[in-house]
Amino acid sequence: MLQVKQWCDDLFGLLFPNLCNACGVSLYHSEHLICTKCLYDLPFTDYHQHAENRVAKQLWGRVPLNAAMAMLYFRKGAKVQNLIHNLKYNGRTDVGVLLGNMLGEKLKISSLYGDVDLIIPVPLHHKKYKHRGYNQCTSIAEGIAEKMEIGFSEENLVRNNATESQTKKSRYNRYENMQNVFNVNDQAHIAGKHILLVDDVITTGATLEACANELLNSGAAKISIAALAFAE
């Protein structure tokens, strides 16, 4: 029976290969979603250990934050981009949960994030959510929550308006573009709490700035930020 099962597994693997989401090579039986080589080669930051990191400095003077970090460096054409592309556009929410687990493990050992009360993912506009079928940031938040043993809420922070790309806008125009975009549904649920705001990739930081300001204006005591990657 074991030989038959192995034969069936091998045939299934031939017809539907289990590939690494970072490099595309076939995974061994002991590997899950990302091959061992890619896991070893991922460009990790140490931002969870240092308050004055590059992500935090990018947001200085824009919004009062307890802490801000990203787990990985993002470079075009590299493995991190492949992982996030599969998460965002190929329905691989399991990749988001796995990477969220990895991020949660780092946050657990950081004194900067030790008193987080609630995790909130950056929301998608409802039209984009309907088209994609999921919010990639929610799967990341789910993975973090699992490791930190903290609840997360996908419903409380909502996006009212779709916005244009921020990348070619000036800082002032980015700020203007994000005005009145987000809204908190239940202020009592976040009042007095330390909120961990979760994103996939930090670029200009304008979206996170707008989300954090809305949460603070709605009664949150502290905001910290954690993302999978930081675009250098």
Side-chain angles (χ1 to χ4, degrees):
M1 288 295 292
L2 288 175
Q3 287 182 330
V4 172
K5 182 180 184 302
Q6 184 64 55
W7 184 84
C8 290
D9 289 343
D10 290 341
L11 178 61
F12 185 84
L14 183 64
L15 296 174
F16 305 99
N18 190 16
L19 305 179
C20 173
N21 283 272
C23 70
V25 304
S26 296
L27 295 175
Y28 291 107
H29 291 297
S30 59
E31 295 175 330
H32 178 60
L33 298 178
I34 306 173
C35 72
T36 302
K37 184 180 186 305
C38 285
L39 283 173
Y40 181 79
D41 290 340
L42 286 177
F44 288 100
T45 72
D46 60 354
Y47 291 172
H48 62 292
Q49 297 178 329
H50 303 287
E52 297 184 3
N53 62 67
R54 290 177 62 189
V55 171
K57 289 179 179 179
Q58 182 168 304
L59 293 163
W60 280 359
R62 296 165 59 179
V63 58
L65 296 173
N66 173 70
M69 63 81 69
M71 181 173 69
L72 301 163
Y73 295 106
F74 180 96
R75 300 181 182 97
K76 288 187 177 181
K79 294 176 180 180
V80 173
Q81 184 179 28
N82 294 337
L83 287 170
I84 292 173
H85 182 87
N86 280 324
L87 165 61
K88 290 181 71 169
Y89 304 113
N90 293 335
R92 298 309 303 260
T93 55
D94 48 356
V95 172
V97 174
L98 175 63
L99 293 172
N101 283 164
M102 296 164 62
L103 180 49
E105 290 283 6
K106 293 183 179 294
L107 298 178
K108 273 180 68 174
I109 63 173
S110 171
S111 60
L112 300 170
Y113 296 86
D115 62 344
V116 169
D117 299 303
L118 181 66
I119 301 170
I120 292 181
V122 170
L124 287 179
H125 187 259
H126 66 88
K127 288 184 179 178
K128 185 173 286 188
Y129 188 99
K130 184 176 180 180
H131 174 75
R132 188 174 297 170
Y134 62 95
N135 178 1
Q136 73 277 2
C137 293
T138 297
S139 61
I140 302 165
E142 181 182 345
I144 296 172
E146 186 177 296
K147 291 299 180 180
M148 295 186 75
E149 299 180 341
I150 299 170
F152 75 95
S153 171
E154 184 183 17
E155 311 295 335
N156 206 349
L157 183 65
V158 296
R159 189 171 193 139
N160 300 316
N161 306 311
T163 53
E164 300 172 356
S165 172
Q166 301 283 81
T167 53
K168 295 183 179 180
K169 294 181 180 293
S170 68
R171 179 173 173 179
Y172 177 75
N173 287 334
R174 291 198 301 263
Y175 174 81
E176 285 291 302
N177 193 43
M178 298 306 297
Q179 289 302 292
N180 304 313
V181 170
F182 300 99
N183 187 60
V184 171
N185 281 330
D186 184 1
Q187 294 188 3
H189 188 54
I190 66 166
K193 292 182 177 178
H194 182 180
I195 306 296
L196 177 62
L197 188 60
V198 173
D199 205 356
D200 51 3
V201 181
I202 297 176
T203 51
T204 66
T207 300
L208 288 165
E209 178 184 356
C211 287
N213 276 320
E214 180 62 28
L215 290 165
L216 288 168
N217 291 337
S218 298
K222 289 193 293 186
I223 304 294
S224 292
I225 285 170
L228 285 186
F230 172 59
E232 298 182 278

